[in-house]
């Protein structure tokens, strides 16, 4: 039996359920959908998740998974990964250690050309054990059409956007951390020139093009959902101090 | 599948098939719409199709029928394609159609023919051969013993004791005045049954229709939902500060304000468990639906209460109400984990 349904997180047609052990610890995640769009999303998501599990050599994951998709109905199960997700409300400079670990993890996992882009690479979708990455969740928007560096640029810029949204000041330490991380990313990945004109605006453009191209609704992405004015404000701050 | 033979496996009454709906013994009328409104759009259904007709006439009801959130509670069930499922009081098919997508044999029963016509149109459009629709009174229809793996009662049990036609949000008939109200309270007509008695009788029938290992999925409001104490209207009669009153007082208030007895009883968790026990369900799992069972954002079992997030409750067009809801629910459910005040119960009940 599924003991928990978390619907408020869901961005699409799928229900996320959690089954607990006798002691009340989360054991499995069960994703269910009752629509054709949902089944398509789930199928794609499972493909990427399986890819990721293979990359991190998580055998339990592969053994435990079952996928059952019938027309408009889909259901799949995979183990729940315990740990803490990152906190995007925390100032960037306090997250810098974790983010550096994410950049390393990313470099290992997403190294080859065949690797997808996660598409929703938020601190809230990364599970940490201490400062190390233990698992990445929420693969609904994984794809092979966004630019390679999108995930990491998104990761650091979203953190700044959320701080701005909750009124946490983006301080000099944060822009300094941004500059450092940005440099690290640009050493490893090719970054298009437009990013320097405003990383937030660039993220919006990438998501908008992705939605047009695939027809998938990703409008809850903060760079689409948040007012353009605020995104431009964050961009201004980053352009002044955050970009090398 | 041969619908006729498998239908007689499940229903003992003789039913008559007309335009994709099987007809049994008539019941009352229950709808969000008046009969006239219903007639006007049903005429256009075949030309425009279900979704377009709904959008043209009643766009405000689109979410209730088509939102994927509606299935949040049902997703706790272990659904299998080989199941036989009864959606009792299926109305427009918000749950019936998604249930049919699983490939299971699904039977939808409702007393309101107009609602079923809409659902029959959807069935035809989507080619859901595994869905059978019956227009009949749930209280009268004879269900064969042990024929269903799952029975769904989503927002239906509280309507079972109803004795009058219902047009939702049109709660008032003639107001009788105090004296007449008191007289009516004292002089019940012969054969008068308490709502609880009727609910137990009905649930016994449901228990009988389930296979031995079958599951009843029951979703119903909590009589002691915290928001009733803060002035939220009781949804079955539209009166504030009402749900938690003793039944005698409820009847008096209800007679005075809307000219009818209040029969749409809901329960506390304990009350619901005892009701189910009396009907023969010995194994009952209760989950709590936030902000309710219609569009659950969160469904939590007792052990899962620490997953409560007040974000699930914060829906309101008004900023202030949103903030109040967040604070109240964070305190009541997040900190104190006061399940007794949860908005709704989602129950899996088994006979063994
Ligand atoms: C609140 S609606 C619930 C609709 C549906 N289960 C859903 O969740 O969307 C209650 C439905 O139960 C039906 N109903 C109530 N009492 C009934 C009875 N005695 N026989 C048949 N249907 C009944 C009404 O006609 C109405 O469509």
């Amino acid at each position: 039996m599924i003991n928990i349904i978390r619907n408020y997180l869901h961005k699409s047609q799928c229900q996320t359920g959690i089954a607990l052990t006798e002691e009340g610890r989360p054991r499995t995640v069960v994703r269910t959908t009752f629509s054709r769009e949902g089944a398509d999303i789930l199928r794609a998501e499972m493909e990427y998740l399986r890819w990721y599990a293979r990359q991190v050599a998580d055998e339990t994951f592969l053994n435990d998974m079952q996928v059952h998709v019938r027309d408009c109905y889909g259901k799949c199960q995979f183990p729940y990964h315990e740990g803490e997700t990152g906190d995007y409300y925390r100032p960037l400079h306090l997250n810098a250690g974790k983010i550096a670990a994410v950049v390393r993890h990313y470099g290992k996992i997403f190294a080859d050309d065949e690797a997808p882009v996660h598409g929703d690479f938020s601190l809230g979708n990364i599970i940490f054990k201490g400062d190390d990455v233990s698992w990445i969740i929420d693969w609904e928007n994984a794809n092979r059409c966004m630019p390679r560096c999108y995930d990491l640029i998104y990761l650091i810029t979203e953190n700044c956007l959320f701080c701005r949204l909750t009124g946490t000041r983006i301080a000099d330490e944060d822009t300094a951390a941004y500059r450092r991380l940005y440099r690290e990313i640009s050493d490893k990945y090719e970054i298009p020139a437009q990013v320097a004109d405003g990383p937030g605006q660039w993220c919006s453009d990438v998501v908008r093009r992705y939605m047009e191209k695939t027809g998938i609704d990703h409008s809850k992405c903060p760079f689409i959902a948040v007012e353009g004015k605020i995104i431009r404000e964050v961009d201004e701050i980053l352009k002044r101090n955050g970009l090398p | 599948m041969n619908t006729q033979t498998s239908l007689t496996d499940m229903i003992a009454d003789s039913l008559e098939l007309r335009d994709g709906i099987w007809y049994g013994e008539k019941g009352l009328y229950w709808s969000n719409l008046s009969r006239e409104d219903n007639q006007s759009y049903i005429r256009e259904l075949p030309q425009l199709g279900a979704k377009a007709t709904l959008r043209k006439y009643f766009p405000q009801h689109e979410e209730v029928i088509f939102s994927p959130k509606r299935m949040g509670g049902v997703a706790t069930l272990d659904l299998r394609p080989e199941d036989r499922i009864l959606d009792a009081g299926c109305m427009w098919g918000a749950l019936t159609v998604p249930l049919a997508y699983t490939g299971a044999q699904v039977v939808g029963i409702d007393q309101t023919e107009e609602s079923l016509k809409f659902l029959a149109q959807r069935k035809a459009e989507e080619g859901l051969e595994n869905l059978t629709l019956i227009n009949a009174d749930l209280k009268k229809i004879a269900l064969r013993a042990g024929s269903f793996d799952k029975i769904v009662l989503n927002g239906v049990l509280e309507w079972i004791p109803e004795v009058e036609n219902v047009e939702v949000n049109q709660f008032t008939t003639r107001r009788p005045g105090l004296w007449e109200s008191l007289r009516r309270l004292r002089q019940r007509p012969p054969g008068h049954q308490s709502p609880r008695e009727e609910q137990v009788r009905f649930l016994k029938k449901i228990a009988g229709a389930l296979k031995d290992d079958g599951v009843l999925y029951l979703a119903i409001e909590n009589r002691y939902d915290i928001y009733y104490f803060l002035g939220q209207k009781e949804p079955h009669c539209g009166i504030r500060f009402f749900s938690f009153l003793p039944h005698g007082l409820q009847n008096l208030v209800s007679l005075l304000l809307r000219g009818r007895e209040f029969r749409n009883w809901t329960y506390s968790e304990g009350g619901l468990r005892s009701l189910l026990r009396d009907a023969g369900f010995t194994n009952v799992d209760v989950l709590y639906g936030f902000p309710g069972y219609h569009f659950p954002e969160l469904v939590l079992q007792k052990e899962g209460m620490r997953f409560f997030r007040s974000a699930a409750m914060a829906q309101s067009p008004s900023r202030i109400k949103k903030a109040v809801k967040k604070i109240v629910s964070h305190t009541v459910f997040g900190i104190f984990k006061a399940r007794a005040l949860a908005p709704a119960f989602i129950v899996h009940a088994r006979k063994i």
Side-chain angles (χ1 to χ4, degrees):
Chain A
M1 161 170 191
I2 297 170
N3 313 72
I4 294 167
I5 293 279
R6 287 202 282 192
N7 240 349
Y8 70 107
L9 293 173
H10 90 157
K11 302 179 201 85
S12 65
Q13 303 274 343
C14 305
Q15 325 269 357
T16 302
I18 300 173
L20 303 176
T21 62
E22 296 276 323
E23 302 81 48
R25 289 165 62 91
R27 181 171 42 87
T28 16
V29 178
V30 184
R31 303 257 288 149
T32 317
T33 179
F34 296 89
S35 72
R36 199 159 292 150
E37 301 96 294
D40 287 344
I41 292 170
L42 211 54
R43 217 177 284 125
E45 185 185 355
M46 288 316 288
E47 184 198 315
Y48 290 117
L49 249 175
R50 220 174 300 168
W51 172 86
Y52 178 65
R54 229 178 293 127
Q55 293 296 100
V56 295
D58 188 328
E59 295 296 329
T60 56
F61 181 88
L62 290 175
N63 292 338
D64 276 345
M65 188 171 63
Q66 328 150 0
V67 185
H68 165 70
V69 178
R70 191 197 178 280
D71 246 337
C72 295
Y73 174 65
K75 181 170 177 173
C76 50
Q77 302 186 22
F78 42 90
Y80 183 94
H81 284 260
E82 283 205 76
E84 291 247 344
T85 53
D87 179 0
Y88 42 57
Y89 293 119
R90 221 161 68 142
L92 182 72
H93 77 274
L94 296 177
N95 278 331
K98 280 193 168 145
I99 292 179
V102 176
V103 175
R104 281 196 301 278
H105 182 79
Y106 200 90
K108 264 188 272 164
I109 302 302
F110 292 77
D112 61 89
D113 291 341
E114 290 303 295
V117 169
H118 179 277
D120 198 3
F121 207 64
S122 160
L123 276 170
N125 285 336
I126 303 171
I127 296 173
F128 294 91
K129 277 219 171 109
D131 266 358
D132 290 331
V133 178
S134 96
W135 193 253
I136 294 169
I137 57 171
D138 236 341
W139 290 76
E140 274 178 62
N141 288 293
N143 64 84
R144 293 204 157 82
C145 61
M146 288 178 174
R148 161 67 37 228
C149 65
Y150 172 77
D151 281 339
L152 294 173
I153 296 290
Y154 176 88
L155 176 73
I156 56 177
T157 315
E158 190 211 41
N159 194 170
C160 298
L161 178 68
F162 273 109
C163 286
R164 164 64 187 75
L165 280 177
T166 50
T168 314
R169 215 166 62 84
I170 302 176
D172 289 344
E173 299 134 287
D174 299 316
T175 47
Y178 192 94
R179 205 176 319 128
R180 245 187 357 262
L181 290 164
Y182 188 94
R183 219 178 260 132
E184 219 172 292
I185 297 166
S186 62
D187 282 349
K188 292 191 182 132
Y189 307 93
E190 199 181 315
I191 297 187
Q194 294 92 309
V195 181
D197 294 338
Q201 188 54 49
W202 179 74
C203 288
S204 307
D205 293 343
V206 169
V207 176
R208 225 165 260 132
R209 250 176 299 164
Y210 162 74
M211 289 202 291
E212 266 164 37
K213 208 162 157 186
T214 59
I216 293 171
D217 179 15
H218 193 10
S219 55
K220 295 232 170 114
C221 168
F223 288 102
I224 299 291
V226 170
E227 248 181 285
K229 196 178 101 211
I230 295 176
I231 296 173
R232 279 193 296 278
E233 267 174 47
V234 172
D235 276 352
E236 280 313 312
I237 298 172
L238 293 176
K239 266 159 68 181
R240 229 178 301 129
N241 298 316
L243 294 172
Chain B
M1 172 194 80
N2 186 334
T3 331
Q4 178 67 71
T5 47
S6 90
L7 188 58
T8 53
D9 283 353
M10 300 182 267
I11 311 290
D13 294 336
S14 68
L15 305 170
E16 190 195 330
L17 179 67
R18 261 179 284 138
D19 297 331
I21 299 174
W22 294 89
Y23 288 85
E25 262 199 80
K26 276 251 166 276
L28 295 164
Y29 176 84
W30 192 108
S31 180
N32 294 57
L33 309 172
S34 69
R35 284 195 200 255
E36 296 74 54
D37 282 351
N38 256 320
Q39 287 312 324
S40 65
Y41 89 90
I42 284 171
R43 231 171 289 131
E44 281 198 60
L45 268 176
Q47 287 89 44
L48 287 181
K51 211 166 189 170
T53 318
L54 187 81
R55 276 198 187 143
K56 179 170 167 190
Y57 286 91
F58 310 108
Q60 71 274 25
H61 294 308
E62 186 169 336
E63 237 207 316
V64 147
I65 304 177
F66 292 101
S67 164
K69 286 236 161 121
R70 291 297 315 269
M71 291 303 277
V74 178
T76 55
L77 286 170
D78 184 17
L79 298 167
R80 293 155 189 275
E82 60 274 18
D83 278 347
R84 266 190 191 172
I85 307 176
L86 168 62
D87 187 3
C90 61
M91 204 179 166
W92 285 325
L95 309 186
T96 332
V97 171
L99 282 169
Y101 287 154
T102 65
Q105 291 299 325
V106 179
V107 178
I109 303 182
D110 205 287
Q111 63 190 356
T112 310
E113 183 184 8
E114 287 84 347
S115 307
L116 284 182
K117 288 215 162 139
F118 176 82
L119 185 46
Q121 175 71 24
R122 282 192 77 188
K123 170 186 148 116
E125 281 169 25
E126 307 206 26
L128 296 170
E129 308 243 327
N130 56 336
L131 172 58
T132 308
L133 303 177
I134 303 175
N135 178 219
D137 186 342
L138 283 168
K139 285 189 273 194
K140 295 182 194 145
I141 196 165
L143 306 171
R144 282 203 201 279
S147 39
F148 293 99
D149 298 279
K150 316 260 153 62
I151 297 184
V152 174
L153 286 175
N154 199 64
V156 174
L157 185 63
E158 67 278 22
W159 293 110
I160 288 298
E162 186 55 66
V163 288
E164 294 188 50
N165 290 333
V166 176
E167 212 181 285
V168 174
N169 300 327
Q170 302 282 318
F171 297 111
T172 318
T173 48
R174 193 182 58 83
R175 292 185 193 183
L178 181 62
W179 190 244
E180 165 72 9
S181 298
L182 288 171
R183 195 187 61 78
R184 275 212 237 163
L185 266 187
R186 290 194 32 230
Q187 296 181 346
R188 296 265 164 78
H192 181 280
Q193 268 195 330
S194 89
R196 188 179 190 278
E197 278 164 2
E198 279 208 48
Q199 286 166 331
V200 169
R201 198 156 55 119
F202 172 68
L203 284 173
K204 276 188 180 158
K205 176 155 107 177
I206 292 293
L210 274 173
K211 293 182 184 170
D212 286 341
D213 58 352
V215 184
L216 162 65
Y217 173 92
L218 169 66
I220 187 167
E221 291 83 2
N222 176 7
R223 185 176 174 199
Y224 301 104
D225 174 352
I226 176 81
Y227 292 107
Y228 290 147
F229 297 95
L230 303 177
Q232 178 170 287
K233 286 181 184 165
E234 205 288 337
H236 311 99
C237 67
I239 307 174
R240 292 182 205 277
F241 301 106
F242 180 87
S243 177
F244 45 82
L245 300 179
H247 290 306
L249 192 53
Q250 279 184 337
N251 270 332
L252 181 61
V253 172
S254 176
L255 276 165
L256 280 171
L257 291 183
R258 44 172 221 150
R260 60 212 248 181
E261 199 187 335
F262 179 74
R263 298 184 58 81
N264 312 111
W265 286 15
T266 55
Y267 297 89
S268 67
E269 179 178 339
L272 198 58
R273 283 181 185 275
S274 121
L275 187 78
L276 286 162
R277 204 179 315 116
D278 290 355
F281 291 96
T282 54
N283 179 351
V284 174
D285 286 314
V286 176
L287 298 103
Y288 311 91
F290 303 94
Y293 65 85
H294 283 303
F295 295 93
E297 301 276 338
L298 270 176
V299 179
L300 304 175
Q301 217 172 5
K302 180 173 132 207
E303 295 75 17
M305 278 303 283
R306 69 198 150 87
F307 284 82
F308 180 84
R309 296 289 176 278
S310 54
M313 303 295 281
Q315 302 134 328
S316 172
S318 132
R319 269 196 166 187
I320 298 172
K321 276 196 187 160
K322 211 168 171 166
V324 172
K325 280 192 166 174
K326 244 184 151 161
I327 294 166
V328 170
S329 65
H330 176 71
T331 315
V332 175
F333 306 120
I335 300 175
F336 291 104
K337 314 222 172 329
R339 291 167 282 123
L341 301 173
F345 303 122
I346 290 172
V347 174
H348 294 196
R350 294 176 178 79
K351 293 190 274 186
I352 45 174

